[in-house]
Amino acid sequence: MNKTSKLTTCLGLALAACTGSAPEPQVLIANARDIAACCDAAALANGPIVVGDFQVQIFTGPLKDLDPDTIEVTFTSVIATGNEDPDQLHAITPPVTLSQASGSLLELGSTTVEVVVADQYFEQADVRFFVEVQGRRIDDFSLEIRELSGAFTVTNTCPSGGNPPAPPQRMLEAIVGQRLEGFEMFSLDVPVGEPTNNSSSQVPPQVPPELYTETFQIGAVVVDLDEAQLEAAFLGPNAVYPVGPGPNGLTLMSDFPGGMPEGPYLVAWQCCVDPIPLDAQGKFFQYALVLDRDLDTTNNYVPTPPFDTDPFTGTDTWFINQYEPFGGWRFSTTDARTFPPNLLFTGARAILSDQVQMFVIPVQDIGSPTEIGIRLTTFSHEGDFGFSGGPWSADQSLPVSSPLVPVPMTASY
């Protein structure tokens, strides 16, 4: 082999060696690590706490070959406690959340992600996150993707026993501003997957095809609310449930509004298998609490055939959340003890939050009875109520064929 051949061979070997050993330019790093903290009731007395954080660093140098207008960075995360019940119909909020929402976009550079604990009912939460950078190359507009995944655990060194509160309990605790013991006794589980009547007996019953109308639990309780609680929950500048869209759901005020005085309030709720849609193209919704305020059957609503399966049957007072595609949501309140019915002026609020609709009603607005009977209903259709063969879905808890659910009007909290 001559000198030229030797030199060419050596240069080729050296180039191959350099090419094989050169590291790929680093684009993403994260310094997430395991966290241990005491997350008991005392630590959470004033709300969720930040127990740690980590940084996601995106280096821009290796991205100089990409069109900056096409670069997008997506952050996703999954959080599990390992004790999720597959048969649980309540969507339980994870005890651990991240300040960067799953599915959100990150800015280039460094982002700090806080780790937040919201309740004490867990021993360990496993957090997995994924960061994806994608963009189009300047030279040929081909797609380039860089990825990073990470995982860590959050250990609660002083967990509380028992199960986490279900969403209706969390909502009522937010209203009263304190933990509630024994809340489960005020809930009633109802069967799912059973045929439900249309309001017209000429339409055959059917199992609710739309799971946001399928009810699996209802409940009711009376609570005493003072001025400070009403201000914090509904009336103040930083209310937990301000009228309109809010961080905790959609809160509706009656079309015929009244005041919210101190005193006893009836709180009734209904839980659906799927979240209640806050808007839907071409759909009409009706989610209602109907009740017999005086247990006098002589002044109750009696429908005429073929509407003898109307879920308002046997009641005299109606609180109705209604959605129309051209007008959105409204909350109507009616005193149906006479015909035609009268408007009911009331300070009641209706809250739609994920799977739950909740009504908060001043007891004095329904005559301060000692006991009432209630039914909660859902109904979805596309304009014809299902009477002409159009799609519909509904549920009644309890069905018209069953007695109303009795509710004593003595304050329990």
Side-chain angles (χ1 to χ4, degrees):
M1 182 180 292
N2 59 36
K3 290 183 179 180
T4 301
S5 298
K6 288 181 179 179
L7 179 60
T8 301
T9 300
C10 289
L11 286 173
L13 291 172
L15 180 60
C18 290
T19 302
S21 62
E24 184 177 346
Q26 192 169 43
V27 174
L28 290 160
I29 63 171
N31 64 347
R33 61 187 70 85
D34 292 344
I35 297 170
C38 177
C39 307
D40 59 8
L44 295 159
N46 295 318
I49 57 175
V50 176
V51 296
D53 60 45
F54 62 95
Q55 288 73 42
V56 176
Q57 179 69 51
I58 305 168
F59 295 99
T60 56
L63 303 178
K64 63 181 182 297
D65 296 331
L66 303 183
D67 179 350
D69 292 334
T70 68
I71 296 175
E72 186 174 271
V73 186
T74 306
F75 178 89
T76 56
S77 60
V78 177
I79 301 171
T81 59
N83 59 354
E84 289 82 2
D85 181 357
D87 297 323
Q88 173 62 261
L89 293 176
H90 285 297
I92 303 299
T93 303
V96 175
T97 59
L98 304 179
S99 61
Q100 193 74 37
S102 182
S104 61
L105 301 179
L106 297 183
E107 299 289 337
L108 297 178
S110 181
T111 299
T112 297
V113 181
E114 293 182 331
V115 182
V116 182
V117 171
D119 74 40
Q120 68 267 36
Y121 301 96
F122 77 104
E123 295 182 1
Q124 180 175 298
D126 299 311
V127 182
R128 293 184 291 117
F129 63 91
F130 183 79
V131 183
E132 180 184 84
V133 179
Q134 67 174 17
R136 297 286 179 177
R137 294 186 59 84
I138 295 174
D139 52 4
D140 60 4
F141 213 60
S142 62
L143 181 65
E144 187 168 314
I145 298 176
R146 303 291 180 90
E147 300 172 341
L148 169 73
S149 61
F152 62 95
T153 62
V154 180
T155 301
N156 185 2
T157 58
C158 41
S160 299
N163 297 318
Q169 180 174 346
R170 290 181 184 271
M171 292 172 67
L172 186 52
E173 287 179 344
I175 292 170
V176 302
Q178 65 186 46
R179 299 287 181 181
L180 300 177
E181 301 297 332
F183 183 84
E184 297 81 4
M185 73 176 68
F186 303 107
S187 294
L188 174 66
D189 293 335
V190 294
V192 299
E194 296 189 350
T196 298
N197 287 314
N198 188 285
S199 56
S200 169
S201 59
Q202 294 182 349
V203 178
Q206 65 175 357
V207 174
E210 296 168 345
L211 293 182
Y212 52 76
T213 68
E214 176 78 271
T215 303
F216 68 89
Q217 187 182 84
I218 63 172
V221 66
V222 175
V223 300
D224 277 323
L225 297 177
D226 61 26
E227 183 178 354
Q229 290 170 313
L230 292 166
E231 187 80 3
F234 300 108
L235 305 176
N238 300 308
V240 178
Y241 295 108
V243 173
N248 301 301
L250 173 66
T251 301
L252 302 173
M253 180 172 60
S254 171
D255 288 345
F256 317 109
M260 297 192 80
E262 291 186 302
Y265 280 73
L266 169 66
V267 180
W269 61 91
Q270 178 178 37
C271 303
C272 299
V273 174
D274 278 357
I276 299 168
L278 296 185
D279 61 78
Q281 188 69 31
K283 290 286 189 179
F284 294 77
F285 299 140
Q286 183 186 86
Y287 289 79
L289 165 68
V290 295
L291 56 90
D292 184 354
R293 67 158 79 180
D294 55 18
L295 303 184
D296 180 358
T297 59
T298 65
N299 63 6
N300 289 342
Y301 170 65
V302 179
T304 57
F307 303 109
D308 41 306
T309 49
D310 190 321
F312 290 23
T313 298
T315 64
D316 60 26
T317 306
W318 306 335
F319 298 86
I320 310 170
N321 292 316
Q322 300 179 89
Y323 174 85
E324 297 176 343
F326 46 81
W329 285 97
R330 55 185 288 258
F331 179 30
S332 67
T333 51
T334 304
D335 180 351
R337 291 176 296 173
T338 62
F339 185 84
N342 291 313
L343 307 179
L344 176 62
F345 289 85
T346 174
R349 297 291 191 268
I351 306 167
L352 300 175
S353 179
D354 293 325
Q355 296 171 287
V356 182
Q357 75 158 341
M358 177 174 283
F359 297 90
V360 183
I361 303 165
V363 171
Q364 72 174 35
D365 290 353
I366 55 174
S368 300
T370 57
E371 183 176 327
I372 62 173
I374 69 170
R375 178 183 298 125
L376 288 123
T377 76
T378 67
F379 192 29
S380 167
H381 61 94
E382 294 186 1
D384 73 339
F385 299 89
F387 300 164
S388 303
W392 65 279
S393 187
D395 207 355
Q396 302 164 5
S397 301
L398 296 176
V400 170
S401 58
S402 300
L404 298 175
V405 178
V407 180
M409 299 301 284
T410 302
S412 297
Y413 297 109

